[in-house]
């Protein structure tokens, strides 16, 4: 571990600190692009069915990821990465996207947001149990605050009479498959790079969605060019780029903390819908967005553990 001694007592800069900042920046790119996806999906969903939209997005994302993977020299992940790649590809890239798209056809956006935001809580619970990440108090407290904020945003955006049992079940399925996919992906990143794990996970998801190929061809022919461009945008940026930056950050922190970071998304969606779609948020929506941000700050905050100088000396050898 690199160290630079400062003039003041305890002024030590470690490579771990720089890695954490890079991971935080990558997570920031992810949540920004995932928030923009909600705005793009609203338009594209008028012309594309849930499965066709997922397949179109994954095809565009896979094409970009394959180009990047080849440009970086290709190379297959080691054998140990494949269980996680297959699991995340089927559950997260495949089933999650179809279930979320379908669920949002059955319930209003606010209800969908509340239900899908159970996902980060499940990630923290599964990560603490299956990945042995533990259950840090600040993380759990921050997630409780953020979920309360997401619930407030959801209630403020909910429309009367649009919820259905099918829609609720689909959104819950999306939350479960999202959480399970993340927990599958985390161990795979110990055996493969972020671009490898993301590329092959996206390809697996594409294969899962191939039954919707005929529907996609028909709907592309009937849709206006702007809607098709939205599907391409979803594939290039919220999928290819954002899932890669997510994997990069996930490899450098816990699944629970990464899941908590995604609670920034509802606040960003509110601001983007305001700026792009002219949907002026009410005070209750803004208050919920601020709660989301506060919860993320709590979950990722806290003082770093102080490492005794004797231990630092051993690590630096």
């Amino acid at each position: 571990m690199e160290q630079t001694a400062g003039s003041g007592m305890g002024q030590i800069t470690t490579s771990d600190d720089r890695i954490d900042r890079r991971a935080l920046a990558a997570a920031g790119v992810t949540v920004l692009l995932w928030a923009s996806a909600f705005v793009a999906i609203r338009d594209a969903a008028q012309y594309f069915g849930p499965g066709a939209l997922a397949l179109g997005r994954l095809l565009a994302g896979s094409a970009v990821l394959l180009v990047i993977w080849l440009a970086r020299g290709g190379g297959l992940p080691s054998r140990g990465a494949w269980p996680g790649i297959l699991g995340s590809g089927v559950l997260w890239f495949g089933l999650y996207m179809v279930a979320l798209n379908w669920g949002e056809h059955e319930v209003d956006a606010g209800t969908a947001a509340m239900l899908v935001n159970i996902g980060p809580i499940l990630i923290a619970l599964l990560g603490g149990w299956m990945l042995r990440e533990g259950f840090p108090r600040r993380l759990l407290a921050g997630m409780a605050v953020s979920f309360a904020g997401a619930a407030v945003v959801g209630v403020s955006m909910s429309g009367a009479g649009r919820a259905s049992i099918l829609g609720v079940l689909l959104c819950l399925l999306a939350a479960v498959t999202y959480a399970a996919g993340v927990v599958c992906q985390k161990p795979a990143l110990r055996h493969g790079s972020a671009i490898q794990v993301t590329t092959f996970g996206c390809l697996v998801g594409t294969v899962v969605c191939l039954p919707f190929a005929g529907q996609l061809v028909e709907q592309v022919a009937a849709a206006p060019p702007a809607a098709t461009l939205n599907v391409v945008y979803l594939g290039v940026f919220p999928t290819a780029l954002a899932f890669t930056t997510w994997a990069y950050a996930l490899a450098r922190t816990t699944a629970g903390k990464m899941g908590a970071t995604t609670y920034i998304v509802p606040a960003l969606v509110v601001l983007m819908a305001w700026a792009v779609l002219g949907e002026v948020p009410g005070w209750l929506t803004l208050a919920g967005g601020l709660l989301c941000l506060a919860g993320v700050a709590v979950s990722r905050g806290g003082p770093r553990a102080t490492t005794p100088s004797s231990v630092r000396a051993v690590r630096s050898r």
Side-chain angles (χ1 to χ4, degrees):
M1 183 172 70
E2 297 177 14
Q3 295 183 340
T4 302
S7 56
M9 183 177 179
Q11 293 180 345
I12 296 176
T13 301
T14 69
S15 60
D16 289 345
D17 296 330
R18 289 195 291 274
I19 288 173
D20 185 70
R21 287 196 292 270
R22 290 196 296 268
L24 193 59
V29 171
T30 297
V31 297
L32 182 63
L33 291 176
W34 282 355
S36 75
F38 283 88
V39 179
I41 287 172
R42 286 185 190 180
D43 180 70
Q46 301 176 57
Y47 307 97
F48 294 92
L53 178 56
L55 177 59
R57 176 178 178 175
L58 289 167
L59 284 170
S62 294
V64 172
L65 286 166
L66 282 171
V67 170
I68 297 172
W69 173 68
L70 290 171
R72 292 176 62 88
L76 296 174
S78 66
R79 183 181 302 176
W82 283 103
I85 289 173
L86 292 172
S88 62
V90 171
L91 294 169
W92 193 10
F93 286 89
L95 295 180
Y96 164 78
M97 290 194 182
V98 176
L100 179 62
N101 292 341
W102 192 357
E104 290 195 13
H105 277 276
E106 300 292 328
V107 301
D108 57 76
T111 302
M114 282 190 292
L115 294 170
V116 173
N117 272 304
I118 295 173
I121 297 174
L122 295 177
I123 291 172
L125 294 176
L126 290 173
W129 172 45
M130 299 180 68
L131 303 179
R132 302 184 184 278
E133 293 177 352
F135 303 95
R137 291 182 179 178
R138 289 188 67 93
L139 175 61
L140 297 178
M143 294 186 80
V145 173
S146 287
F147 183 74
V152 170
V153 171
V155 169
S156 68
M157 295 172 64
S158 293
R162 289 192 56 196
S164 71
I165 294 176
L166 176 61
V168 168
L169 292 176
L170 286 166
C171 290
L172 288 174
L173 176 62
V176 171
T177 51
Y178 160 45
V182 171
V183 173
C184 286
Q185 189 185 63
K186 174 67 174 175
L189 291 165
R190 292 198 291 265
H191 305 280
S193 67
I195 189 65
Q196 288 175 328
V197 172
T198 305
T199 298
F200 289 98
C202 192
L203 287 171
V204 170
T206 303
V207 172
V208 170
C209 292
L210 280 179
F212 301 102
Q215 187 181 89
L216 176 63
V217 171
E218 293 177 0
Q219 293 176 353
V220 166
T228 302
L229 286 176
N230 267 336
V231 176
V232 174
Y233 170 82
L234 286 166
V236 174
F237 294 99
T239 304
L241 179 56
F243 273 79
T244 302
T245 51
W246 165 278
Y248 176 88
L250 180 62
R252 290 157 176 80
T253 188
T254 66
K257 281 192 174 183
M258 280 301 293
T261 302
T262 62
Y263 275 120
I264 298 174
V265 171
L268 292 177
V269 170
V270 169
L271 295 177
M272 288 182 179
W274 188 0
V276 177
L277 302 177
E279 298 177 354
V280 180
W283 288 109
L284 188 60
T285 305
L286 290 174
L290 290 175
L291 270 177
C292 290
L293 296 176
V296 172
V298 170
S299 66
R300 297 196 64 92
R304 295 181 180 272
T306 303
T307 306
S309 58
S310 59
V311 175
R312 289 198 299 268
V314 171
R315 287 182 178 175
S316 63
R317 290 176 185 172

